[in-house]
Amino acid sequence: MPPDLASAASDSDVLLVIVTGSGRSGTSTVSGTLKMLGTYVPQPEISPNEANPRGYFEPKWTVAYHKKVLAEAGVRTLDGRPEARELMAAVTGRVDLLDELREWFSDQLAQRGAADQVVVKDPRIVWLRSMWSSVAEDLGVQTRWLTMLRHPAEVVGSRDRHYLAGADDGRRLARETANLAGWVNVGLTNERASRGDRRVFVHYTDMISDWRASMTGAADRLGLRYDADLSSREHHPVDDFIDVSLRRVQVTLDDLDVPGNLRTIAETVWSGLDALARDPDDEDAMARLDRAREEYDQLFVHSAALVQDATDFAVQEARRKTRRNVTRTLTAQAAQADAAPPPPRPFLRRAAGRARRALLERRG
């Protein structure tokens, strides 16, 4: 590692807290809380908007970078395909991408001031775990993983509310099933990849009902240090930041129109993650999650086979539509070219030039 990069993390006590979890599961809530407790969030951040008026607490650069890496791999944030892991593995080891992340993170470490803890949060980060771990290790930074948990029915329901407003029944049906599958696949991928790491799982409902207890537990598990005494009940800015009414969507899987076998697997995954929230090294819970992985992968294979004819037809129809559009465009261009007046011939241009010169000479 070059000396200039090594000097950015001058002591090994610097901690990188990476917040993971599906979108709409409270990742913004916990990263905002960490910031208010003295943790450094790399600047500048994504601005609040209607979907998240209290703020995302996500560095702008990392969001753009994560989107780029996922695009290179052809993977979505909430990707339900088991092969998404292999697709990501094909790009996360690229030297150019690692160098880019290392350079940015090194700059941020130099700008952190007196803060000895840095928090990076983005739901896409689950797919780039190996890149962050590698870069942090190169810079002498210790990595901690905090995963927010929210029941999959509420995650899917919240995404419906914020991203599918006004969608027709067919679109809503497709996205509910796809989002639940994505929640299962991402949750299993994140849990399996974090085994052996310093990690903690925090329930969203616990966080908004008693943030002090949740953050105290996270500190104990991860070795975090805050600039406030959480054993005190004195008013803290986090009390104004967290509002119990944030949990606006409260539904169950029975309220969603999704396949029964997918619902069963999702409940198994939720049960396993819930157990890990109490003990992140619960071997029985991890064994249940491994079995759920096998069941989900098999369900995905069968589901893809079930809709093979529909998939083939959709691909063929897209190709036909593309050919029609290209043909229409080329035909219009050809007609426009035929209608345009022909360019003047060279000898006519020369004759016109001689006539103009003769006229000017007579006037002179």
Side-chain angles (χ1 to χ4, degrees), residues 248-285:
R248 300 182 182 91
V249 177
Q250 301 183 44
V251 298
T252 69
L253 288 175
D254 291 335
D255 297 316
L256 304 179
D257 189 3
V258 296
N261 42 7
L262 178 59
R263 182 187 296 115
T264 300
I265 293 173
E267 286 288 13
T268 300
V269 174
W270 173 252
S271 174
L273 295 176
D274 176 56
L276 292 177
R278 295 186 293 274
D279 177 7
D281 299 316
D282 186 328
E283 294 185 1
D284 180 65

Side-chain angles (χ1 to χ4, degrees), residues 190-225:
N190 181 54
E191 187 282 319
R192 186 65 182 86
S194 67
R195 292 181 188 178
D197 293 334
R198 289 283 294 274
R199 66 182 186 176
V200 66
F201 297 86
V202 178
H203 279 291
Y204 177 56
T205 52
D206 293 343
M207 184 70 192
I208 63 176
S209 62
D210 188 351
W211 67 267
R212 286 177 174 81
S214 292
M215 298 312 292
T216 297
D220 292 342
R221 295 282 187 185
L222 304 182
L224 304 182
R225 298 173 297 278

Side-chain angles (χ1 to χ4, degrees), residues 10-11 21 31 45 50 60 69 74 89 93 111 118 162 168 180 188 204 217 232 240 250 269 276 294 300 331 345 357:
S10 57
D11 67 79
S31 57
E45 301 173 29
E50 291 183 0
K60 283 186 176 181
V69 177
Q111 297 174 29
V118 179
H162 288 277
D168 58 38
L180 183 58
L188 289 170
Y204 177 56
S232 170
D240 300 321
Q250 301 183 44
V269 174
L276 292 177
E294 294 177 2
F300 191 92
T331 300
R345 296 178 182 178
R357 287 193 297 273

Side-chain angles (χ1 to χ4, degrees), residues 14 81 142 151 157 231 235 248 253 289 308 326 330 336:
V14 177
R81 297 172 297 167
Q142 302 176 57
H151 194 278
S231 64
H235 185 80
R248 300 182 182 91
L253 288 175
L289 292 169
Q308 187 64 55
V326 171
L330 293 177
Q336 186 178 10

Side-chain angles (χ1 to χ4, degrees), residues 314-324:
V315 172
Q316 293 168 5
E317 184 61 23
R319 288 173 176 169
R320 283 194 291 268
K321 183 178 180 179
T322 300
R323 285 196 294 269
R324 287 195 298 269

Side-chain angles (χ1 to χ4, degrees), residues 69-76 79-94 97 127 131 185 300:
V69 177
L70 262 65
E72 297 257 356
V75 171
R76 297 176 58 249
D79 205 309
R81 297 172 297 167
E83 62 266 28
R85 292 167 293 171
E86 285 68 36
L87 293 172
M88 287 303 305
V91 300
T92 52
R94 278 177 37 184
L97 294 175
W127 298 111
M131 302 183 75
N185 190 46
F300 191 92

